[in-house]
Amino acid sequence: IQLTQSPFSLSASVGDRVTMSCRASQSIRTSLNWYQLKPGKAPKLLISAASSLQGGVPSRFSGSGSGTDFTLTISSLQLDDFGTYYCQQSYSDVLTFGGGTTVDIK
Amino acid sequence: QLQLQESGPRQVKPSETLSLTCVVFGGSISNSGHYWGWIRQAPGKGLEWIGNIFNIGSTYANPSLESRISMSVDTSENKFSLKLSSVTAADTGVYYCARGQVPYSNASPWDYWGQGTLVTVSS
């Protein structure tokens, strides 16, 4: 199952609402997860099952979608939110990631 | 708090075998019922799943790497390992170990990750 993320990168200001997309090549129901990756740090699971916020993750992060189209939203961008965001499907036993969306702060 | 730590050679010669180990602290591999995984990131590229292993040794692997992968688990030392044979420069990257979040399911997100270790394939 292929995952296509868009945009490839975005630049936004603190306080902006940011959205990014992940599209699957076939229906994966809600088996879609989001990670944040920063240089030199362990990847962080933000959201599982399309919309379930992980413990300790700020409530400004939210996920939505089902089937083939998914969205990660940051309601009010903070300085600490820079990094690359990856979606990953856990519908199939062959696990795959999207290509990532890089967020930088203006 | 569960912690994972990767270890292994930082440089491997082309055609040789890359060997990495992930030690788990703060939890038992044998009692957890979780799958344990390997994921990598080549320089400038995205994340790529390598494979997962369960505590009794059953495995799932990325079909693109399956012929070159061997995974094992050592419950007595609370660690699991990866061997990737016949490496080339394309296998250079940061290798992460991680825990599958959903018990008894290979198809799961990973909720605990190691910091990653950079492995360079070069002569």
Side-chain angles (χ1 to χ4, degrees), chain A residues 6-26:
Chain A
S6 62
F8 176 77
S9 66
L10 65 91
S11 183
S13 300
V14 171
D16 284 352
R17 181 181 180 87
V18 168
T19 62
M20 62 193 77
S21 168
C22 178
R23 176 164 289 180
S25 59
Q26 66 181 72

Side-chain angles (χ1 to χ4, degrees), chain B residues 20-44:
Chain B
L20 294 173
T21 294
C22 181
V23 180
V24 177
F25 300 95
S28 168
I29 286 181
S30 58
N31 295 336
S32 73
H34 294 266
Y35 275 83
W36 304 87
W38 293 97
I39 300 99
R40 70 180 182 179
Q41 183 178 32

Side-chain angles (χ1 to χ4, degrees), chain A residues 35 40 42 54 86 90 93 95 97, chain B residues 41 49 101 106-107 109-110 114:
Chain A
Y35 300 86
Q54 298 302 293
Y86 290 91
S90 50
D93 275 328
L95 304 165
F97 289 91
Chain B
Q41 183 178 32
W49 173 61
Q101 183 180 52
N106 170 70
W110 297 278

